[in-house]
Amino acid sequence: MDTKQVLISPAELAQLQQTQAVVLIDTRDAEAYATGHIPEAVNLREIFTFLATSSPEGLQQMHQTFAAALGNVGISGKETVVFYEDTLNGGYGQSCRGYFLLSWMGYADVKVLNGGYAAWLAEQRPVSMATAVPLPAEFPAHLIRADIMVDKQAVFQALGTDTVLLDVRDTVEWIGESSSPYGADFAPRKGRLPGACWIEWYRFMKPSPQGSVLKSPSEVQAECDSAGIARNDEIILYCLGTSQKTENKAR
């Protein structure tokens, strides 16, 4: 298997668990985890619920918090880390948030279960209700990757330039009817960044026999084409709470 591959199927995950050291992280809430999960998975709901301020102090606190939490579930730097959620179109991308978080923290070998727990169940793979008891480790002190996440000042500087500001929020957020998916007035203001283009996050997914899965690179490129995003554009993606810098490298 290509070690640079980010998305992993249930079959690939099952094989990986037999051949390599894997830390499997269930990002669902504790109640869902208790009713059944992938064997050996640990539950770390904070991947989705932890909110940090965008100040240097807030980001440092986030790094320290997760370095401790990830060490507690057994991540030492030698393991492949795989995140999963219930369904990719039902949890606001919480497993992908785990991938983004560890990438920002400098951890290279991170993957996401394509289709989530629903895909695992669709293939009638084994489940467990036993709470995993990991052996704590010391999370590696990698340098934070400043090239992955941008701050408010960087976004200000990108306004009016060739950098693409890609809004991936829900329709009601884009048109200004709601400030967030959690309620119309959850955030202080409604609206969008000036000059932003829009691809609602659901459009990066498609149905399959295993449930909703992420589209192929060529299908993602087609979505970008429809929004006027060229293959080599520099892109800043944003949702309600995180801005991520990337390049359009879909092939």
Side-chain angles (χ1 to χ4, degrees):
M1 181 172 22
D2 182 1
T3 57
K4 295 181 181 179
Q5 175 185 342
V6 174
L7 296 176
I8 187 171
S9 70
E12 290 170 327
L13 173 58
Q15 180 182 11
L16 189 70
Q17 287 181 298
Q18 294 179 6
T19 58
Q20 297 183 33
V22 175
V23 174
L24 182 59
I25 298 180
D26 185 317
T27 63
R28 301 174 301 157
D29 60 41
E31 292 77 12
Y33 176 82
T35 60
H37 51 266
I38 300 175
E40 301 180 19
V42 295
N43 187 219
L44 193 58
R45 180 60 172 170
E46 291 82 359
I47 292 294
F48 182 60
T49 59
F50 184 90
L51 295 176
T53 64
S54 58
S55 66
E57 295 79 13
L59 294 177
Q60 183 62 30
Q61 180 190 12
M62 182 170 71
H63 187 278
Q64 292 173 346
T65 297
F66 280 105
L70 295 166
N72 286 338
V73 298
I75 301 176
S76 70
K78 301 177 182 178
E79 303 81 15
T80 299
V81 180
V82 181
F83 289 94
Y84 75 89
E85 56 191 288
D86 191 17
T87 62
L88 288 186
N89 61 351
Y92 297 108
Q94 59 205 46
S95 57
C96 298
R97 179 174 177 171
Y99 168 79
F100 172 75
L101 177 67
L102 259 72
S103 298
W104 173 71
M105 295 175 72
Y107 202 95
D109 198 0
V110 191
K111 302 184 186 299
V112 171
L113 178 60
N114 201 8
Y117 189 56
W120 184 269
L121 294 179
E123 296 189 5
Q124 299 183 338
R125 295 188 176 275
V127 300
S128 172
M129 290 185 289
T131 299
V133 183
L135 182 64
E138 183 170 349
F139 186 82
H142 295 307
L143 293 176
I144 293 174
R145 287 189 57 186
D147 62 326
I148 288 182
M149 183 157 52
V150 296
D151 59 15
K152 180 175 64 176
Q153 186 59 38
V155 174
F156 277 144
Q157 293 174 351
L159 294 176
T161 71
D162 291 336
T163 298
V164 175
L165 302 176
L166 176 56
D167 189 322
V168 297
R169 298 174 302 158
D170 290 351
T171 302
V172 290
E173 297 171 89
W174 169 254
I175 65 177
E177 286 187 357
S178 178
S179 66
S180 86
Y182 309 116
D185 298 311
F186 180 85
R189 297 173 64 188
K190 302 180 180 70
R192 56 181 181 263
L193 296 181
C197 62
W198 178 57
I199 303 177
E200 192 174 19
W201 64 285
Y202 298 102
R203 286 170 55 189
F204 291 112
M205 303 176 194
K206 62 182 178 181
S208 79
Q210 289 76 37
S212 181
V213 297
L214 287 172
K215 290 181 175 179
S216 68
S218 59
E219 290 168 326
V220 170
Q221 184 63 59
E223 294 290 352
C224 291
D225 291 342
S226 72
I229 302 174
R231 185 177 296 272
N232 295 318
D233 281 343
E234 180 177 74
I235 305 168
I236 296 177
L237 299 97
Y238 73 91
C239 58
L240 173 64
T242 302
S243 296
Q244 177 181 359
K245 183 178 180 181
T246 186
E247 292 182 3
N248 185 7
K249 295 182 178 179
R251 293 291 185 264

